[in-house]
Amino acid sequence: MIPPQEASARRREIEDKLKQEEETLSFIRDSLEKSDQLTKNMVSILSSFESRLMKLENSIIPVHKQTENLQRLQENVEKTLSCLDHVISYYHVATDTEKIIREGPTGRLEEYLGSMAKIQKAVEYFQDNSPDSPELNKVKLLFERGKESLESEFRSLMTRHSKVVSPVLILDLLSGEDELEVQDEVPLEHLPEGALQDVIRISRWLVEYGRNQDFMNVYYQIRSSQLDRSIKGLREHFRKSSSSSGVPYSPAIPNKRKDTPTKKPVKRPGTIRKAQNLLKQYSQHGLDGKKGGSNLIPLEGRDDMLDVETDAYIHCISAFVKLAQSEYQLLTDVIPEHHQKKTFDSLIQDALDGLTLEGENIACAARKAVIRHDFSAVLTVFPILRHLKQTKPEFDQVLQGTAASTKNKLPSLIASMETVGAKALEDFADNIKNDPDKEYNMPKDGTVHELTSNAILFLQQLLDFQETAGAMLASQETSSSATSYSSEFSKRLLSTYICKVLGNLQLNLLSKSKVYEDPALSAIFLHNNYNYILKALEKSELIQLVAVTQKTAERSYREHIEQQIQTYQRSWIKVTDYITEKNLPVFQPGVKLRDKERQMIKERFKGFNDGLEELCKIQKAWAIPDTEQRDKIRQAQKNIVKETYGAFLHRYGSVPFTKNPEKYIKYRVEQVGDMIDRLFDTSA
């Protein structure tokens, strides 16, 4: 049961909370009444605003529509005025641009092309809208005059700025191709950059707007002239340089920039000069004869001229390829793509025709020289033909897309030179075989004949041009075509040819040797020539080339040489026969000789002395240029004679066969040896 005090306190607490809740409820009720009043006021305001807004809209919409119509009318007026201004401007184009067109495009191409664009638009307008108006004729005439000025400017720019490429620069470009290290190639600048850009812009305008192709003819004519003059300048550079210094070098240029041509000697074939060097080399080794001049070795002035012409032509061929490649790169920037090949074909014709004609002239000169049996001239064909074949892939690439007649010029020249070369080889072999036996042309001392030195020197040249010479021979084979023969086949043909020449030479030498009345001199002559041939073969790669088809050639020559030595030695038999044991008197020591025996001994001494003196006198004038062979033959003969004479002198030197022994015993054994040591020595 709750105490009375707690119940009273509890009641008061509940009454207080109830009173608070009643106050809160009264506050909420007042707030709701105020909110309702505010809502009613807001609804009234919005209703009033909506009514006013509707009245405003009904007033504004007609005004807006009227304003919109006015704006449209204003725009139409402005467009009409603009169109009128545009049309009127066409009537002023001729007046506005006439001065610019009259003064030309030089120095202000951009402005000039802008004026031409205005004139063109005026022409198009009048053609479409007023084809009978006088204004059309006026702007047409102005357009044609402007186009002619652009064509003239194109020609002027090409003429003024196209320069011949200097020989020094060409030589440096060609020399740069042989450098082992990789270098940044500086392209040829045929036109200054500014002029080139003007030329390109004019050409594009003429193609696109001028409907003109005549400028392409102007282009190829000017560039063709420069290309031809550049190559001719290089040829002239060789001639001038050779006449002054003998070697066409690029001049040294100190403090050169990166794009400055470098100094570099030009490679030279030196075909005929090499033959001279070979001749000197063999002379130093005692292989060359004293009388044997060679018609393969002309005067040195002619050698230099042939070398210069050959070098010049070879370098002109390479220069053509290099310059033609550069010309095509320039042409692609100026000429429209579908006209490039045709224009390039026309551009290179003069230079290519010049090179082809010069090559044909070289071949023709060689052909005439061969008819005269002057085979030195044909040596110029070999390096040229080799270079043409080596350059042919580049030629084919450069001439790709040109006419068939243009592409066939180089193959035709190669075929022509191969025919000349093959004919020269054939005629040379026949000339070796059929060279006449002229007594006055034979060396009196039995040394090497000029025919032998000529043949060897000519064959030496083939070593540097084995593939070329082999291809020449193969091109004449009916069983092979120009593209089917292999290098091995060509090598075998060349080996067979060399063996044929050597065989013909051997037969001719045998025939010539019969001119000599003395068999011993004939043997010395054959010995010298065979030895010369063998040593020349051994000192070069000819012996390896001969061995391709004739393995025993070296042994055969050695046998021939030995055979001639033995033939020569038989010339001494008539001397040594006087003092041999046969038919000599037999006597006993201390027994007096009969008159017949004394006379026999006298005759033997006298016969030996006279024969020795006669042979030494004759054979001293003979020659054996090879020191080794000369010493060998002397020593062998000296041993035989000294041994025989020594035995004879030992047996009869002390025999009292005469009262004047010094009359018959004229020489000691050593003296006989000394006399033989002076054989083959005209200076002794």
Side-chain angles (χ1 to χ4, degrees), residues 561-583:
I561 292 169
E562 190 59 36
Q563 180 182 354
Q564 299 309 318
I565 292 176
Q566 293 174 4
T567 301
Y568 161 75
Q569 289 176 341
R570 284 197 289 272
S571 68
W572 283 84
I573 292 178
K574 61 182 180 181
V575 177
T576 56
D577 265 354
Y578 284 105
I579 57 176
T580 54
E581 292 290 338
K582 64 179 182 177
N583 300 324

Side-chain angles (χ1 to χ4, degrees), residues 313 317-318 320-321 352-353 355-357 359-360 384-399 403-418:
Y313 187 71
I317 291 292
S318 296
F320 172 81
V321 174
L352 185 57
D353 286 343
L355 290 174
T356 303
L357 179 60
E360 291 290 352
I384 291 173
L385 182 56
R386 180 176 65 180
H387 187 72
L388 287 175
K389 286 189 171 184
Q390 290 174 344
T391 315
K392 188 176 182 300
E394 294 180 80
F395 252 97
D396 292 341
Q397 184 177 4
V398 169
L399 302 182
S405 58
T406 303
K407 294 178 182 177
N408 289 334
K409 288 182 179 179
L410 182 65
S412 297
L413 179 59
I414 290 175
S416 176
M417 287 195 167
E418 279 191 332

Side-chain angles (χ1 to χ4, degrees), residues 569 628-642 673 676-677 679-680:
Q569 289 176 341
E628 182 182 349
Q629 286 291 314
R630 183 168 65 239
D631 292 342
K632 174 184 174 182
I633 292 174
R634 282 174 177 172
Q635 188 62 42
Q637 198 58 53
K638 186 167 63 173
N639 291 341
I640 295 172
V641 177
K642 285 178 65 176
I676 295 175
D677 277 337
L679 298 180
F680 318 117

Side-chain angles (χ1 to χ4, degrees), residues 70-127:
L70 290 174
Q71 288 177 342
R72 187 178 298 111
L73 290 174
Q74 184 180 2
E75 289 175 358
N76 290 338
V77 170
E78 291 176 353
K79 288 181 180 180
T80 301
L81 291 174
S82 177
C83 289
L84 287 174
D85 290 339
H86 181 68
V87 170
I88 292 171
S89 69
Y90 289 127
Y91 287 85
H92 296 289
V93 164
T95 304
D96 295 341
T97 60
E98 185 175 8
K99 181 181 178 182
I100 297 174
I101 299 304
R102 185 176 62 251
E103 292 176 353
T106 304
R108 52 175 183 177
L109 181 61
E110 188 73 27
E111 182 183 4
Y112 193 89
L113 291 178
S115 297
M116 289 298 293
K118 293 178 181 179
I119 297 171
Q120 183 181 6
K121 289 180 180 179
V123 171
E124 293 173 352
Y125 171 80
F126 288 121
Q127 284 177 336

Side-chain angles (χ1 to χ4, degrees), residues 172 174-183 262-264:
D172 286 336
L174 297 180
S175 300
E177 295 177 349
D178 299 326
E179 296 291 341
L180 295 179
E181 63 271 12
V182 178
Q183 295 181 341
T262 57
K263 174 186 176 184
K264 187 173 181 65

Side-chain angles (χ1 to χ4, degrees), residues 402-656:
T402 57
S405 58
T406 303
K407 294 178 182 177
N408 289 334
K409 288 182 179 179
L410 182 65
S412 297
L413 179 59
I414 290 175
S416 176
M417 287 195 167
E418 279 191 332
T419 301
V420 171
K423 184 66 167 57
L425 293 176
E426 178 184 350
D427 288 357
F428 181 78
D430 292 340
N431 184 64
I432 294 297
K433 181 179 180 180
N434 301 318
D435 186 69
D437 299 325
K438 297 180 180 178
E439 185 175 351
Y440 66 84
N441 199 34
M442 294 294 290
K444 304 300 182 182
D445 55 3
T447 189
V448 178
H449 196 278
E450 63 178 356
L451 182 69
T452 303
S453 59
N454 286 355
I456 292 300
L457 288 172
F458 187 84
L459 294 179
Q460 287 285 354
Q461 309 313 304
L462 302 185
L463 288 176
D464 286 338
F465 307 100
Q466 294 184 37
E467 292 185 8
T468 305
M472 285 179 179
L473 297 169
S475 67
Q476 305 304 306
E477 291 289 315
T478 56
S479 60
S480 64
S481 65
T483 57
S484 63
Y485 57 81
S486 65
S487 59
E488 186 62 29
F489 175 67
S490 300
K491 190 173 184 180
R492 290 189 66 83
L493 282 179
L494 183 58
S495 176
T496 301
Y497 171 78
I498 292 174
C499 292
K500 176 183 177 181
V501 172
L502 293 176
N504 290 348
L505 177 60
Q506 186 173 339
L507 291 174
N508 200 318
L509 290 173
L510 283 171
S511 176
K512 290 182 183 302
S513 68
K514 296 175 183 178
V515 172
Y516 296 110
E517 296 179 358
D518 191 334
L521 181 55
S522 177
I524 290 297
F525 171 76
L526 291 176
H527 164 273
N528 284 332
N529 283 272
Y530 291 156
N531 184 63
Y532 180 93
I533 294 171
L534 178 60
K535 290 297 179 66
L537 293 178
E538 290 177 335
K539 288 182 177 295
S540 66
E541 297 177 10
L542 277 175
I543 193 65
Q544 289 89 347
L545 200 53
V546 168
V548 172
T549 55
Q550 196 174 50
K551 305 292 184 184
T552 61
E554 185 175 0
R555 185 180 67 188
S556 177
Y557 274 110
R558 294 193 186 281
E559 290 174 353
H560 289 319
I561 292 169
E562 190 59 36
Q563 180 182 354
Q564 299 309 318
I565 292 176
Q566 293 174 4
T567 301
Y568 161 75
Q569 289 176 341
R570 284 197 289 272
S571 68
W572 283 84
I573 292 178
K574 61 182 180 181
V575 177
T576 56
D577 265 354
Y578 284 105
I579 57 176
T580 54
E581 292 290 338
K582 64 179 182 177
N583 300 324
L584 285 173
V586 180
F587 59 89
Q588 297 294 328
V591 178
K592 185 177 180 181
L593 296 176
R594 296 191 298 270
D595 291 341
K596 182 179 180 180
E597 292 174 338
R598 286 197 297 271
Q599 186 61 32
M600 183 180 293
I601 294 174
K602 289 179 183 178
E603 290 176 355
R604 295 304 174 90
F605 268 109
K606 186 176 186 305
F608 172 78
N609 292 336
D610 292 345
L612 176 65
E613 291 169 356
E614 180 184 3
L615 279 186
C616 287
K617 180 180 178 180
I618 293 172
Q619 295 184 8
K620 187 177 77 168
W622 298 354
I624 300 180
D626 189 330
T627 305
E628 182 182 349
Q629 286 291 314
R630 183 168 65 239
D631 292 342
K632 174 184 174 182
I633 292 174
R634 282 174 177 172
Q635 188 62 42
Q637 198 58 53
K638 186 167 63 173
N639 291 341
I640 295 172
V641 177
K642 285 178 65 176
E643 181 180 354
T644 306
Y645 181 65
F648 178 77
L649 192 61
H650 176 72
R651 185 168 185 178
Y652 296 101
S654 58
V655 175

Side-chain angles (χ1 to χ4, degrees), residues 45-268:
I45 293 171
L46 289 174
S47 297
S48 176
F49 182 76
E50 182 180 7
S51 175
R52 292 179 181 182
L53 189 61
M54 188 174 295
K55 290 179 181 179
L56 179 62
E57 182 178 353
N58 292 333
S59 300
I60 291 299
I61 287 177
V63 175
H64 173 71
K65 289 181 179 180
Q66 185 177 7
T67 303
E68 185 178 5
N69 291 334
L70 290 174
Q71 288 177 342
R72 187 178 298 111
L73 290 174
Q74 184 180 2
E75 289 175 358
N76 290 338
V77 170
E78 291 176 353
K79 288 181 180 180
T80 301
L81 291 174
S82 177
C83 289
L84 287 174
D85 290 339
H86 181 68
V87 170
I88 292 171
S89 69
Y90 289 127
Y91 287 85
H92 296 289
V93 164
T95 304
D96 295 341
T97 60
E98 185 175 8
K99 181 181 178 182
I100 297 174
I101 299 304
R102 185 176 62 251
E103 292 176 353
T106 304
R108 52 175 183 177
L109 181 61
E110 188 73 27
E111 182 183 4
Y112 193 89
L113 291 178
S115 297
M116 289 298 293
K118 293 178 181 179
I119 297 171
Q120 183 181 6
K121 289 180 180 179
V123 171
E124 293 173 352
Y125 171 80
F126 288 121
Q127 284 177 336
D128 294 339
N129 299 280
S130 184
D132 298 327
S133 64
E135 285 80 6
L136 175 59
N137 293 330
K138 190 173 182 179
V139 292
K140 269 188 174 182
L141 289 174
L142 196 59
F143 182 81
E144 290 300 321
R145 187 192 306 172
K147 185 171 72 171
E148 290 175 0
S149 295
L150 285 173
E151 293 170 357
S152 177
E153 178 70 5
F154 182 89
R155 179 187 292 274
S156 176
L157 287 171
M158 291 296 301
T159 303
R160 289 200 318 269
H161 297 287
S162 291
K163 304 296 182 184
V164 174
V165 183
S166 70
V168 173
L169 180 56
I170 295 175
L171 290 174
D172 286 336
L173 289 172
L174 297 180
S175 300
E177 295 177 349
D178 299 326
E179 296 291 341
L180 295 179
E181 63 271 12
V182 178
Q183 295 181 341
D184 294 333
E185 183 177 353
V186 179
L188 289 172
E189 186 182 72
H190 296 290
L191 296 171
E193 184 61 28
L196 176 60
Q197 293 304 318
D198 286 350
V199 166
I200 292 173
R201 292 200 64 187
I202 294 174
S203 69
R204 290 177 179 174
W205 188 93
L206 290 173
V207 171
E208 185 174 357
Y209 303 110
R211 306 294 189 268
N212 179 281
Q213 297 182 4
D214 292 341
F215 77 94
M216 300 181 195
N217 297 331
V218 172
Y219 178 87
Y220 91 71
Q221 289 169 0
I222 294 174
R223 294 309 308 166
S224 175
S225 174
Q226 300 303 327
L227 175 61
D228 191 41
R229 289 171 59 194
S230 297
I231 293 176
K232 288 178 178 177
L234 177 62
R235 186 184 300 111
E236 190 63 27
H237 174 75
F238 269 81
R239 291 171 180 168
K240 289 183 179 179
S241 298
S242 64
S243 62
S244 59
S245 63
V247 181
Y249 288 169
S250 300
I253 303 177
N255 301 322
K256 58 180 180 289
R257 303 187 309 274
K258 183 179 180 181
D259 58 345
T260 304
T262 57
K263 174 186 176 184
K264 187 173 181 65
V266 177
K267 295 184 176 180
R268 312 190 66 194

